[in-house]
Amino acid sequence: MPLLLPSSLYGLARPFLFGFDPEHAHEITLDGLARTQNTPLACAYSAPRVDDPVTLAGLTFPNRVGLAAGLDKNARCIDAFAAMGFGFVEVGTVTPKAQPGNPKPRMFRLPQRDALINRLGFNNEGLDAFLANVQNARFRKNSGGKTPMLLGLNIGKNAATPIERAVDDYLACLDGVYSHADYVTINISSPNTANLRSLQSDEALDALLGAVAERREALATRHGKRSPLFVKIAPDLDEAQVAVIAATLQRHRMDGVIATNTTLARDAVAGLPHAAEAGGLSGAPVREASNRVIAQLRAVLGKDFPIIGVGGVLSAADAKAKIAAGADVVQIYTGLIYRGPALVREAAQALLRDRSKA
Ligand SMILES: Cc1cc2nc3c(=O)[nH]c(=O)nc-3n(C[C@H](O)[C@H](O)[C@H](O)COP(=O)(O)O)c2cc1C
């Protein structure tokens, strides 16, 4: 039985980590997790996983709390996150080739609002290194007969690839990740890669998802398994845009939608230090917009279409509000930075209790 220390330990670690520049703190943390995962030191952040299985897109999610993409872009720490009790972990965004991302500094804390702004720009070591890390992960073997945690692999395009050739990058990534993923996420909503979000508009989305859906059929035949495809969208969309996206997802038989990525809006943080930095805003200030998009999606997609809700989950109550807005399961990024790994179990337990009341 792992020691249940994560909240108290994170209480000690947070002031230390917040003393560093955010990206440096992030690197220190990931290095620590990569070194200690699958060793006795992992007890510092391990917690028993809440057992609350839910079936979505043909997959059994062991519980309803997942790690959002972008925290572990190179898939180095999958086993550490599995030990924290997540029901599912999404790694990436990976691009076909390694790329450095935008110039530093490119990540900022807004602690007054439990928020971050980032303009990392898909800094990552590329598809080959990513797949090597994914293949080294042991969480499936470590699951000890229990339902294994699910692994989502999130794919994008290189900054140097012209937007008209974006489809090539998504197909190259899809080919590479397909057989290793429980689900694949098509990320078309990062604000930090020029023109990426234009892929959400009618014709571009239709062309991208048409090509991806066709390739998935070929890959399903080749590998003898049909991996679900999820599409990750932005919160900065109006109701009409959400409706068009929803219809396009259904037309191309996508298996789910992840709502949402970070926001370009700044009204909730206006006047605070760093608020004027370019990039995507995450954490508490994106919660309302994310919940609005989730509710709109649920209204147009009907009750059975899988929706993964993400954006501003910093407490058990926030996780419950996402489900109430229409999400089936939730993901966390910024909440983990501000609240530490204890949030995973807290949120998963709250959703379990909520269900038992239903
Ligand atoms: C520093 C940082 C990097 C991110 N990188 C990615 C990424 O590579 N791919 C992606 O799909 N989302 C990325 N995201 C977005 C998150 O997955 C999530 O959708 C968003 O932050 C809202 O959730 P949160 O409020 O819980 O952080 C990133 C977020 C942050 C804060």
Side-chain angles (χ1 to χ4, degrees):
M1 172 70 116
L3 278 173
L4 198 57
L5 286 174
S7 55
S8 51
L9 270 189
Y10 194 72
L12 296 174
R14 194 186 117 149
F16 168 78
L17 289 169
F18 276 35
F20 292 99
D21 148 82
E23 190 168 351
H24 192 190
H26 189 79
E27 280 159 13
I28 293 173
T29 307
L30 285 190
D31 281 347
L33 293 176
R35 272 178 225 273
T36 54
Q37 62 186 350
N38 299 312
T39 77
L41 291 174
C43 69
Y45 47 80
S46 297
R49 192 177 75 198
V50 172
D51 190 24
D52 178 22
V54 53
T55 301
L56 279 183
L59 300 171
T60 304
F61 288 66
N63 67 44
R64 295 195 274 171
V65 178
L67 177 72
L71 208 155
D72 189 6
K73 286 180 187 278
N74 296 303
R76 294 170 60 209
C77 305
I78 297 171
D79 294 331
F81 291 114
M84 289 180 201
F86 281 108
F88 59 114
V89 162
E90 188 170 317
V91 292
T93 296
V94 67
T95 56
K97 295 187 198 127
Q99 63 179 25
N102 291 320
K104 296 179 185 176
R106 53 192 182 175
M107 194 168 168
F108 308 89
R109 291 186 200 97
L110 292 81
Q112 300 89 337
R113 292 286 186 278
D114 288 338
L116 298 171
I117 290 176
N118 91 84
R119 51 170 179 269
L120 293 171
F122 292 165
N123 53 314
N124 79 104
E125 292 165 9
L127 185 59
D128 292 345
F130 180 84
L131 292 178
N133 290 338
V134 167
Q135 283 171 287
N136 282 333
R138 293 196 232 152
F139 68 100
R140 290 191 182 105
K141 286 188 211 115
N142 290 348
S143 62
K146 290 190 351 185
T147 310
M149 182 192 83
L150 297 181
L151 181 65
L153 302 181
N154 178 308
I155 62 176
K157 71 171 276 293
N158 278 115
T161 304
I163 199 71
E164 313 78 62
R165 306 295 305 267
V167 173
D168 298 350
D169 278 14
Y170 285 97
L171 293 181
C173 286
L174 184 62
D175 286 347
V177 303
Y178 189 84
S179 64
H180 305 284
D182 291 309
Y183 68 85
V184 179
T185 299
I186 319 291
N187 178 14
I188 48 171
S189 49
S190 166
N192 302 315
T193 295
N195 301 320
L196 193 83
R197 285 184 170 193
S198 70
L199 296 173
Q200 296 180 127
S201 64
D202 324 8
E203 281 168 25
L205 187 63
D206 197 50
L208 173 65
L209 296 189
V212 161
E214 189 184 328
R215 182 65 58 94
R216 189 252 297 265
E217 295 311 319
L219 288 165
T221 307
R222 187 184 316 159
H223 295 287
K225 79 162 192 170
R226 191 172 189 280
S227 297
L229 298 180
F230 297 162
V231 178
K232 185 162 177 180
I233 67 170
D236 309 315
L237 298 165
D238 63 28
E239 207 171 336
Q241 290 170 310
V242 171
V244 171
I245 291 174
T248 313
L249 296 179
Q250 287 183 307
R251 192 163 59 251
H252 292 291
R253 298 181 56 225
M254 293 293 115
D255 303 275
V257 57
I258 304 188
T260 67
N261 214 309
T262 55
T263 181
L264 290 168
R266 290 292 187 272
D267 30 332
V269 294
L272 291 177
H274 303 306
E277 293 289 349
L281 174 66
S282 61
V286 75
R287 186 186 306 134
E288 205 181 302
S290 152
N291 289 354
R292 177 185 49 80
V293 170
I294 290 166
Q296 288 170 0
L297 285 167
R298 182 54 76 208
V300 287
L301 288 166
K303 68 178 181 26
D304 293 328
F305 195 91
I307 299 178
I308 291 110
V310 52
V313 174
L314 282 116
S315 69
D318 297 336
K320 287 163 74 167
K322 278 253 173 311
I323 302 291
D328 296 292
V329 293
V330 304
Q331 289 179 326
I332 300 170
Y333 185 141
T334 306
L336 204 60
I337 310 295
Y338 282 97
R339 297 285 324 285
L343 177 59
V344 180
R345 189 171 165 81
E346 207 178 295
Q349 258 176 337
L351 298 182
L352 174 67
R353 275 200 303 277
D354 229 27
R355 180 196 295 228
S356 64
K357 272 190 286 167

